[in-house]
Amino acid sequence: MKKVLLVGDGARENALAEALGSSEEGYVVYSLSSYRNPGINEVVGKTGGRYFIGDINSVEEVRRVIKEVNPDFGVIGPEDPLFHGIADEFRKEGIPVVGPNSEGAMIEKSKVWMRELMWKYSIPGRLRFKYFNTIEEAAKFILEYGGSVAVKPAEQVGGKGVKVVADIQAYLSDEKRRAITTSVGSIANLVKGDVKILIEEKVDGPEYTLHVLTDGKSYLPLPLAQDNKNAYEDGIGPETGGMGAISGPGYLLPFIDQEEFTRSYEIVKITAEAIEREVKQSYIGILSGQMMLTSIWGPTIIEYYARFGDPEASAIIPRIKSDFGKILELLATGHLSRAKVEVDERPSVVKAIAPLGYPLDKNKASNHRIWLDLPKIREMGCKVYFGSVALEGNSLLTKGSRAVEIVAIEDDYGRAVEKVDKCFSLISSDTKLLFRHDIGRTIDQQIEKAQIVRYSYKRREARGILGISADWSPNGGLW
Ligand code: GLY
């Protein structure tokens, strides 16, 4: 029987482990995680594998586990091991793996690298941008530019840090200048490298994610999903890794049409080809376009991930009816052209539950006990993926982030949301648990928002000005 080594410890890896563990290929699943995830542990136990606890970003640690397991292939879930060269290490040891080498993972690691690539290869859906090494230079640019901008850390810092500076005129007093400098400074502090701050033109519209699997020769798009990043209802509050996601029906979302899906796919595919030309290596893994439907371009790239989004993975993977574990093996080994994806047409809703304190106070959100009536939740038809929660003895202890994701697939969004909420009522803790009620309940508003943006970008297209910024100051701006 073939052995697979899965690297990573969150809910996304739990979903991947389930797909691998239920494959008709009968894979034996081994895990390398930084703590004992109860869901992954269950799959490892059932398939007769072994659970290794260690540093998933350490090349030496991974090499040691690879030598001990001698897997037939590997799957890497999170971005940090990719940035640390863990996929490179698998390949050095001759083990095919899902996940790009560290050079390819630059598409996620450095937002500046990503934007420069998009401009170099004239990839549609690119935004104007500037980058700065110092807070002062960035603040000066924001104050001099006559439009609205998004200020971001120049490197991936776990989805945190995006700030929008709108209505520039209102920032011109000394006090407001100080506010901008502080706000930009808080972002710069997140970044370790020299280039600290990325400033992009600000865009607005419904967001969505398109994951494309590629082995460098074939490309396979998966159904769209939409992540909900903010901590609180109605998309307000601090950014989190994602408090929930929706997917479907079919490959689309109710507010993204077939033509927009096709254009989004083209954008992600030509980006994957551009990465390969740039780094002179095959990109083998998942390239995930974090997209927005905007008036400027229609489908537009906000950022890229070199892996599955979490919780997007939990919304998509359970909808795949074909043997997804086998598809992962075909992807790792360069035979993706043989893969066929059949999906459940019905939509899915996934919501994350997090301990009080998340995302701002990790200590406060850590070391709380969680109880779940797992058999009952499963009997009700929900899927459970464990995230930042460790199995210690017989107890489940929170680790400071999103603890559990619950997924329901139903005939419509209303029913799926209702089911997730019922399943949530079977989870309790010795601290307050937070989750968003609105996820899956704002479809009509998003359809309306998309209609406005669609009208606008289609008119621009008809006038031949697609991609020309709408947000342009009278003197031509400073970009
Ligand atoms: N859903 C956001 C992320 O995966 O980083």
Side-chain angles (χ1 to χ4, degrees):
M1 267 187 298
K2 287 185 190 159
K3 295 181 274 187
V4 53
L5 174 58
L6 174 66
V7 178
D9 33 45
R12 163 189 45 216
E13 289 73 32
N14 190 167
L16 289 166
E18 184 189 68
L20 291 163
S22 57
S23 166
E24 285 180 6
E25 297 295 309
Y27 300 122
V28 181
V29 180
Y30 291 76
S31 159
L32 173 62
S33 307
S34 56
Y35 55 89
R36 193 172 293 275
N37 175 306
I40 302 174
N41 192 56
E42 188 181 353
V43 175
V44 167
K46 268 191 196 151
T47 60
R50 195 171 147 197
Y51 206 108
F52 295 85
I53 295 180
D55 180 356
I56 61 174
N57 298 320
S58 155
V59 170
E60 294 73 34
E61 183 99 31
V62 170
R63 190 183 304 133
R64 188 181 61 73
V65 174
I66 288 176
K67 292 217 186 295
E68 201 163 332
V69 174
N70 192 22
D72 294 275
F73 68 105
V75 177
I76 300 173
E79 65 278 20
D80 269 340
L82 298 173
F83 301 162
H84 282 86
I86 299 305
D88 311 52
E89 188 56 28
F90 269 82
R91 294 193 176 102
K92 263 189 227 149
E93 295 294 327
I95 312 293
V97 63
V98 174
N101 282 353
S102 51
E103 284 99 325
M106 283 298 283
I107 193 70
E108 170 163 4
K109 184 166 192 273
S110 164
K111 294 194 176 90
V112 174
W113 195 89
M114 178 273 278
R115 285 283 171 229
E116 284 184 332
L117 184 90
M118 290 194 76
W119 281 85
K120 179 170 175 185
Y121 290 88
S122 300
I123 299 172
R126 59 191 185 272
L127 294 175
R128 289 182 302 157
F129 74 103
K130 288 256 180 206
Y131 58 87
F132 300 95
N133 296 4
T134 68
I135 299 166
E136 291 72 28
E137 285 172 301
K140 182 167 179 283
F141 173 80
I142 296 173
L143 284 161
E144 284 177 8
Y145 172 60
S148 307
V149 291
V151 187
K152 303 178 176 181
E155 289 172 5
Q156 165 67 287
V157 284
K160 295 181 200 78
V162 179
K163 287 199 164 55
V164 168
V165 179
D167 186 8
I168 271 329
Q169 297 310 321
Y171 279 86
L172 290 179
S173 72
D174 278 355
E175 219 166 281
K176 295 287 165 65
R177 271 172 194 271
R178 272 199 296 278
I180 285 193
T181 312
T182 314
S183 152
V184 173
S186 69
I187 287 176
N189 288 340
L190 297 169
V191 176
K192 290 194 194 93
D194 286 343
V195 177
K196 300 284 187 192
I197 300 147
L198 177 76
I199 297 184
E200 286 172 349
E201 58 187 319
K202 183 190 168 292
V203 281
D204 200 13
E207 291 187 62
Y208 58 100
T209 305
L210 173 62
H211 295 86
V212 175
L213 310 183
T214 175
D215 59 0
K217 295 170 283 190
S218 301
Y219 299 86
L220 202 56
L222 297 180
L224 298 178
Q226 185 191 48
D227 184 17
N228 288 262
K229 275 183 169 287
N230 294 88
Y232 312 131
E233 313 278 301
D234 303 320
I236 58 170
E239 289 223 349
T240 70
M243 291 304 288
I246 60 171
S247 172
Y251 273 73
L252 306 180
L253 286 161
F255 43 89
I256 301 295
D257 66 25
Q258 182 61 49
E259 192 191 333
E260 287 155 356
F261 176 88
T262 306
R263 284 192 193 190
S264 305
Y265 171 47
E266 273 304 306
I267 291 173
V268 179
K269 181 170 178 284
I270 58 179
T271 305
E273 290 163 347
I275 299 169
E276 296 196 334
R277 281 210 290 279
E278 206 57 20
V279 304
K280 300 182 181 57
Q281 285 173 11
S282 292
Y283 184 103
I284 300 174
I286 295 129
L287 184 61
S288 151
Q290 304 293 307
M291 309 193 72
M292 185 187 273
L293 199 67
T294 69
S295 319
I296 297 179
W297 277 106
T300 304
I301 292 293
I302 302 301
E303 57 187 350
Y304 273 109
Y305 295 159
R307 38 111 192 159
F308 263 114
D310 183 358
E312 295 96 309
S314 305
I316 297 168
I317 294 173
R319 292 186 57 225
I320 299 176
K321 294 203 286 191
S322 357
D323 185 338
F324 194 59
K326 175 74 187 165
I327 292 172
L328 291 171
E329 185 192 352
L330 292 171
L331 167 56
T333 53
H335 298 110
L336 190 64
S337 60
R338 295 192 207 145
K340 296 268 172 306
V341 175
E342 202 196 329
V343 301
D344 188 330
E345 286 296 311
R346 297 173 303 157
S348 66
V349 171
V350 49
K351 290 209 245 177
I353 203 161
L356 185 68
Y358 178 75
L360 298 178
D361 187 343
K362 189 164 181 178
N363 280 343
K364 188 170 175 179
S366 297
N367 292 316
H368 293 285
R369 287 193 66 182
I370 287 221
W371 296 271
L372 295 92
D373 190 342
L374 204 48
K376 186 88 185 283
I377 294 176
R378 286 179 173 157
E379 194 187 300
M380 283 169 69
C382 287
K383 290 247 174 225
V384 178
Y385 295 129
F386 290 93
S388 178
V389 63
L391 181 64
E392 292 189 13
N394 288 325
S395 304
L396 300 181
L397 283 184
T398 63
K399 305 275 298 170
S401 184
R402 298 161 294 170
V404 180
E405 292 174 9
I406 298 280
V407 191
I409 303 174
E410 285 293 326
D411 288 335
D412 56 58
Y413 277 115
R415 277 179 234 208
V417 175
E418 244 174 62
K419 189 177 260 189
V420 170
D421 288 353
K422 275 193 192 137
C423 291
F424 267 151
S425 70
L426 298 167
I427 306 179
S428 58
S429 176
D430 59 14
T431 185
K432 197 168 158 36
L433 294 173
L434 308 173
F435 66 94
R436 277 179 55 173
H437 292 86
D438 60 332
I439 294 168
R441 290 197 164 98
T442 60
I443 305 291
D444 290 346
Q445 289 97 303
Q446 300 205 61
I447 292 174
E448 253 174 58
K449 198 169 169 182
Q451 276 165 347
I452 295 167
V453 170
R454 189 170 293 126
Y455 174 80
S456 180
Y457 88 75
K458 293 231 176 221
R459 273 180 59 95
R460 299 179 137 265
E461 188 166 28
R463 290 163 57 210
I465 56 166
L466 201 64
I468 308 288
S469 178
D471 185 8
W472 189 256
S473 65
N475 64 1
L478 298 171
W479 297 91

